[in-house]
Each structure stands twice: as structure tokens, then as C-alpha cells.
Amino acid sequence: MPTTIVVGAQWGDEGKGKITDILAENADVVVRYQGGNNAGHTVVIGDEEFKLHLIPSGILHPNCTCIMADGTVIDPQVLAQEITGLQQRGYACENLRISCNAHVIMPYHRLLDGLAEEARGKGSIGTTRRGIGPAYTDKTARMPCPVRFADLSDAQRLQDIIADQLAQKNVILQALYNHLALDPEEVFQQVWPSAQMVGKYATDTRKIIQESTQRGRRIVFEGAQGTFLDLDYGTYPFVTSSHPVAGGACLGTGIGPTAIDEVTLVCKAYTTRVGAGILPTEAADDAADQLRDRGQEYGTTTGRPRRCGWLDGVVLRSAALVNGATSVAMTKLDVLDTLATIPVCVGYEIEGVLLDRVPAWADDLHKVRPVYEELPGWQQSLEEMREWAQLPPAAQAYVEKIAELTGVPVTMISVGPRREQTIFGE
Ligand code: IMP
């Protein structure tokens, strides 16, 4: 696996943290290429559970260089908390590197995210309210120049940028949202203690990544969220503001597509979504409740209950194509252990026409009718199984269906949260 991108096939929360953590065991470098603390990874090692929002799960492997690259957005207050939490548990974080160019989420971004959501009313996106959209908006707007990670080490520079930003933001806050203006000095004081702590991690991460690929070091690129939350390829406008798809790994880190060897598509055995937007295979209440309870489908970041539904083969096939997947890692297969039969969506019907991939015009998704195949359940626990041959035939058939729908081999099957609860190969 010299260079592998790990990308979510659905709407995020596929269990990428565990898969990255397993791959990180043999990796020299783990890189997060987009997103911010809207993400949440839970990694279980032995009896210890780690919930990470910003820092890639590679941080738990001290010999692995752990990078947050140019395409990420970073809230210094959250980062400082996360580093302190890890240090208290014996992880020094000396292997952490952060791009000097990563954009910084400031308190006014969080405020504006919340105010915009309130103003949208029933049409809200259901964002995590972590300031992600407003921070990426400032990045693309360019002027006045927003805070970037390297700015955090220079008090005067940071103060000047905050003043420039608030000259504009205060007009918006007052005129559009009828909100009090923010005081630049107060904002600075809010951020400065964390900025002082995290600023030292700023560096030229492009150089580290480019040199690592040239030397053939093993690199894992970790995508946050999932394919259908991608700004271009997701269910727009109910998406995040960055590019989780595999192409985002090049944009967000400074390497070209020819430097990538493998793309592992992480696919949960059923479908979930948080926030608003279409979910074609959303299950009826009872079935959704059962999936949510067994799968503990509550947001790692916001604690929100996730909407739950059946596996959507059309979504998976489209994700395999848009990401150029070379393998599939299937997670949470054990959550389906109790079901007698399991519906799998194998196509969409729209006005009498059968579709095998997600329509490009997201509004058409509201008109599709999922076509289901009913697969037999296995009704026994998979949690202690460690080899393909141990899996009951019905579970094997379910996995093979995923390989058939995506056209990509399933090389990892996760049957529980712990590292060892993983079956390799088919
Ligand atoms: P934002 O990224 O906070 O702007 O939220 C935009 C949409 O993406 C909302 O529907 C969020 O619930 C969703 N979202 C953002 N991050 C994640 C994630 O890590 N997992 C699942 N959904 C996410």
C-alpha cells in the first residue's frame, strides 16, 4: 500500500477511523486532506476508546508522521483541547505536523455558521455549526486575507487580521442578523492562548508529503465526511464545503494523481446520514430505530441521532466511480446480525427508467424509487469471527453483493469496533 486514500462511500460516519487506524499500523505518514472538526473518529484500542475530531488517527502510532494538510480548516481552540487530551493519555503528539497554509476557524466563523442555519429556518442544512462553511467561504473569497495556520504564531499579525476581518464581519452581523458587533481585542484574547500552544506545529507539509512519495514511504490519506457530502459530487446543497472525494487528496496535500496507488472505499453495511437532505433508502421508523440502536448511530461530534436506512448499491457504485476505488472496506457488518432478511437497493427507478448510478442533478434524487433485492440474514453473531471461511454463507453472499454492485473487491470486513475484529481478504 505505498500510497492509499481512505474515502467514505456514503454520507460520512462509515467507520473510516478504524480502517485508517489499521492501515496506519504499517504506514510512515498519515495525512488528513480536508474538513475540520465537523468530523469525528472513534478508535478503540484494547479497552481504550479515542474520539478524535481533528487529528488523524495515525497520532496513536508514535512512529507515524501525522499531518493536517493544506486543504483542512482548523479551530485552534479545539486542536489545543485535543492535543491536551492525547498528552494526558500518554501520546506526546510530537509526530504531528500542520500545514502553514491550512485556514483557521475563528470564533466569528462558528457564530456565523449558527446564525446562517437559524436564518435558513426549515430549509437549514443541518450543519455541525463548527464554522466549517464560513471558514471555507473566507478562503475562496480571499480578501480581506483570512487567518492561516502560520499566522497563529505572530500576535501582532493575528490581531491585524482579526481587525480586518471584523471590519467586514461586523457589518454582516449587525445588518443581516441583527447581532451585536464583535470586539477585535476580545476575539484575539479568546484565541491567543490556544494559538500560542498549537502554532509551533505549523510547517511546510507539502514538502514532507512530496518527499515521502518520492522515497516510496507508505502514506495513508484520510478523507473526512463522505462522497455524498462532497461540495461538487454530493447531494448539493446539503453537503459540506470541502472535497472528501479521492481527488480532494491531491488538491488538499500538494501531490499529483499519479502519486496515488490505491483508493480504499469505506462502506458501512447499511446507510446513515446526519443533517438534512435526501436519503433514498431511509428505513421506516421501527427498522431505522433498530439499526440506530444496534449500530449506536449517534454523531461523534454533535451527538445527533443519525438517520438510518438500507444499503444503497447505486450510491456505492457511483462512489466507486467518482473515487476510482481499487478496494472496498466494509464496516459494521455485525450490526445486521439479528435480521431475518436484509433489503439491498440494487437500482433506482425514475419515470419508468432504471438508473444504475446517482443522477448528476441532485433534485432528481427526490423522484427516484429504490429497487430492492431481499437478501437472507444470517441471524448469528459475527463478532468473534476472524476469517472469511468462518462467515456464514448468507454473510458471505451479502459481502459478495457489495463487490458485485461496486465492481471492486472487498478486502476488509469489520465485525466490531476493536482492531482485531477485522477479516482480511475474501
Ligand atoms: P458542515 O460540514 O458542518 O458545514 O455540515 C454540512 C453537512 O455535512 C451537514 O449535513 C452535516 O451533518 C454533514 N457532516 C459534516 N461533517 C460530517 C461528518 O463527519 N459525518 C457526517 N456528516 C457530516
Side-chain angles (χ1 to χ4, degrees):
M1 62 128 188
T3 53
T4 304
I5 299 175
V6 176
V7 58
Q10 294 144 324
W11 280 272
D13 309 315
E14 294 92 351
K16 296 177 292 293
K18 171 176 166 174
I19 303 300
T20 309
D21 178 58
I22 289 173
L23 295 173
E25 209 150 23
N26 299 313
D28 302 303
V29 187
V30 174
V31 187
R32 178 124 177 240
Y33 56 86
Q34 45 72 233
N37 58 311
N38 46 348
H41 291 156
T42 307
V43 180
V44 181
I45 303 176
D47 293 333
E48 280 206 277
E49 189 177 78
F50 294 83
K51 285 188 191 295
L52 300 170
H53 296 287
L54 268 174
I55 302 179
S57 17
I59 200 74
L60 305 173
H61 302 270
N63 296 329
C64 176
T65 306
C66 197
I67 295 178
M68 303 199 59
D70 301 53
T72 58
V73 284
I74 299 174
D75 186 325
Q77 293 169 278
V78 175
L79 179 64
Q81 272 170 18
E82 207 154 284
I83 292 172
T84 307
L86 282 162
Q87 286 173 338
Q88 282 165 352
R89 294 172 79 173
Y91 293 87
C93 295
E94 274 161 15
N95 49 340
L96 181 63
R97 307 281 180 279
I98 300 180
S99 169
C100 47
N101 286 303
H103 279 247
V104 172
I105 299 180
M106 298 292 287
Y108 43 82
H109 291 132
R110 293 193 299 264
L111 176 63
L112 285 165
D113 198 356
L115 290 170
E117 279 288 90
E118 297 299 330
R120 288 183 198 115
K122 278 201 287 191
S124 78
I125 295 173
T127 74
T128 57
R129 300 187 181 216
R130 300 296 193 258
I132 308 295
Y136 277 116
T137 303
D138 279 355
K139 174 179 176 175
T140 48
R142 297 159 296 168
M143 282 297 178
C145 189
V147 182
R148 286 169 295 166
F149 205 76
D151 298 320
L152 294 177
S153 305
D154 182 335
Q156 187 57 56
R157 195 175 155 95
L158 185 58
Q159 276 175 314
D160 291 347
I161 299 176
I162 292 173
D164 276 354
Q165 286 291 321
L166 285 185
Q168 205 181 66
K169 299 275 182 288
N170 278 338
V171 177
I172 298 171
L173 283 173
Q174 290 171 296
L176 202 58
Y177 298 117
N178 199 21
H179 193 281
L180 289 176
L182 299 181
D183 175 42
E185 179 57 23
E186 270 176 32
V187 171
F188 172 76
Q189 290 304 339
Q190 223 178 319
V191 174
W192 183 235
S194 315
Q196 279 175 297
M197 180 187 158
V198 301
K200 66 171 183 189
Y201 294 99
T203 188
D204 178 354
T205 56
R206 294 173 198 176
K207 188 160 178 270
I208 304 174
I209 298 166
Q210 288 162 352
E211 288 180 357
S212 298
T213 56
Q214 282 165 340
R215 289 191 197 137
R217 297 181 83 206
R218 292 158 303 182
I219 311 180
V220 177
F221 295 93
E222 175 181 359
Q225 291 84 47
T227 300
F228 289 89
L229 288 173
D230 184 277
L231 184 58
D232 279 317
Y233 299 100
T235 44
Y236 194 85
F238 299 98
V239 293
T240 191
S241 298
S242 66
H243 294 288
V245 296
C250 294
L251 287 175
T253 63
I255 48 150
T258 48
I260 305 297
D261 298 302
E262 288 171 28
V263 177
T264 299
L265 194 63
V266 184
C267 146
K268 186 149 61 181
Y270 49 97
T271 312
T272 61
R273 176 165 200 169
V274 250
I278 181 81
L279 184 60
T281 59
E282 189 154 18
D285 285 353
D286 285 358
D289 289 349
Q290 208 182 332
L291 288 171
R292 189 176 308 106
D293 282 354
R294 278 195 56 83
Q296 278 306 296
E297 296 295 351
Y298 298 89
T300 318
T301 300
T302 57
R304 290 181 286 179
R306 297 177 184 142
R307 296 156 64 195
C308 295
W310 305 114
L311 194 74
D312 188 334
V314 183
V315 154
L316 298 189
R317 190 181 293 116
S318 302
L321 291 169
V322 82
N323 292 297
T326 55
S327 65
V328 168
M330 188 169 189
T331 59
K332 292 189 135 177
L333 188 58
D334 55 298
V335 171
L336 306 179
D337 281 353
T338 55
L339 299 173
T341 59
I342 312 167
V344 173
C345 167
V346 293
Y348 290 160
E349 196 212 286
I350 182 166
E351 290 156 8
V353 179
L354 200 63
L355 301 183
D356 70 349
R357 67 194 66 179
V358 174
W361 185 242
D363 291 14
D364 283 345
L365 257 186
H366 291 269
K367 299 185 206 149
V368 303
R369 188 182 65 81
V371 179
Y372 287 105
E373 242 176 64
E374 234 15 83
L375 266 61
W378 42 93
Q379 295 194 287
Q380 67 184 95
S381 170
L382 304 184
E383 284 175 24
E384 300 305 323
M385 299 187 183
R386 300 288 176 267
E387 282 170 34
W388 173 254
Q390 292 174 311
L391 286 177
Q396 290 185 350
Y398 194 79
V399 175
E400 276 162 359
K401 190 76 190 170
I402 313 305
E404 178 196 317
L405 288 166
T406 54
V408 178
V410 180
T411 56
M412 270 193 239
I413 302 157
S414 169
V415 291
R418 298 198 311 277
R419 273 182 190 171
E420 61 274 17
Q421 290 177 298
T422 312
I423 296 170
F424 294 92
E426 205 174 300

